[in-house]
Amino acid sequence: MSLTEHPAPLIGIPVRLSDAGAPGADHRIGEANRIFDDVVALVRAAGAEPVLVRPHSDENALDAQLAHCRGFVVPGGGDVDPALYGADPAHPALYDVNPAQDRLDAAVIRYALEHRRPLLGICRGMQLLNIIRGGTLHLDLPETSVAHDAAPGDEWAVHEVALSADSALAEVFRRDRMPVASGHHQAVDRVGDGLRVSARAEDGCVEAVEAFADPQAPAPTAWTVGVQWHPEAFVPDPELRLPLFRALLTQVHAQRRAEPQS
């Protein structure tokens, strides 16, 4: 059977849990819920079948659902609870801290890491990946020469990032610099164990992390990439939307080929 004849692989995506219509809800909640749909569409456009992962009261039931997924995408959303990395939970810049969302996203990330399934973390997804690996975040980025959050009336801030030459990102995009769509007020501070920085903005802000191979590990590390920007955005260039999702699917197919045939 050829690769194209295989059934579409299942890619798990944890749903967004915050209610954009709740009284006093931050406008960014609605934006995160909307771009979630764009992420789902891009997973499908890359040739996979999205699986919307929802919370389960039974941890075994959640694991059973995740076991059917060949890879995972953890999208953007509100701020991760600072208590998870020892920071101030009362910081005034925080918004939409949702413990249920943290639990769901963390369960997906941990499953991907433990079972060595390809994983793409976007914005919040990258930040939580870093926290799970023991890293920390800047609670609120200071103003610099780079605009990381959109100006009033704009959907995104656009700036360039520099990609590390030997990174998975450089292999995906075949370039050392690229423009990205940005919309965040937090970023990685201390990098988590087993991760390395693979892209930075001009002001030094960490824009991407990825897992690196540990020669002492008993099994190879799966493709694990986190980006601070939003590849699902239509700016700055629609051609930059699909490559990361295709790369994830390429890794899924590579794992399939490497598995023993029954």
Side-chain angles (χ1 to χ4, degrees), residues 42-224:
L42 284 167
V43 167
R44 187 170 283 117
E49 182 60 32
V51 173
L52 304 188
V53 180
R54 303 181 186 279
H56 286 266
S57 57
D58 181 352
E59 185 177 324
N60 291 331
L62 177 59
D63 282 352
Q65 182 182 24
L66 299 180
H68 292 290
C69 299
R70 306 294 306 204
F72 299 93
V73 178
V74 180
D79 292 335
V80 177
D81 186 350
L84 296 178
Y85 54 99
D88 179 10
H91 194 285
L94 294 171
Y95 86 100
D96 188 30
V97 175
N98 186 332
Q101 190 73 69
D102 290 341
R103 288 192 295 272
L104 178 62
D105 290 0
V108 170
I109 291 170
R110 288 194 174 101
Y111 187 93
L113 295 175
E114 291 170 9
H115 295 269
R116 291 183 283 278
R117 302 282 170 87
L119 170 68
L120 172 62
I122 298 172
C123 196
R124 168 194 162 86
M126 163 181 152
Q127 294 170 1
L128 189 52
L129 165 66
N130 187 64
I131 292 166
I132 286 171
R133 298 300 299 164
T136 62
L137 304 181
H138 293 287
L139 269 172
D140 193 39
L141 290 170
E143 186 174 336
T144 72
S145 58
V146 177
H148 291 282
D149 211 353
D154 291 337
E155 185 176 13
W156 303 106
V158 175
H159 63 80
E160 281 207 335
V161 298
L163 310 182
S164 299
D166 61 345
S167 65
L169 287 174
E171 182 177 350
V172 170
F173 290 104
R174 302 294 181 182
R175 58 178 76 191
D176 57 10
R177 299 186 67 85
M178 59 182 284
V180 298
S182 181
H184 62 100
H185 77 102
Q186 298 186 329
V188 167
D189 182 7
R190 186 178 71 244
V191 179
D193 297 336
L195 301 175
R196 63 175 180 174
V197 177
S198 53
R200 290 186 185 271
E202 189 177 64
D203 61 0
C205 180
V206 175
E207 291 287 339
V209 296
E210 63 185 54
F212 61 86
D214 180 359
Q216 304 302 316
T221 301
W223 189 90
T224 303

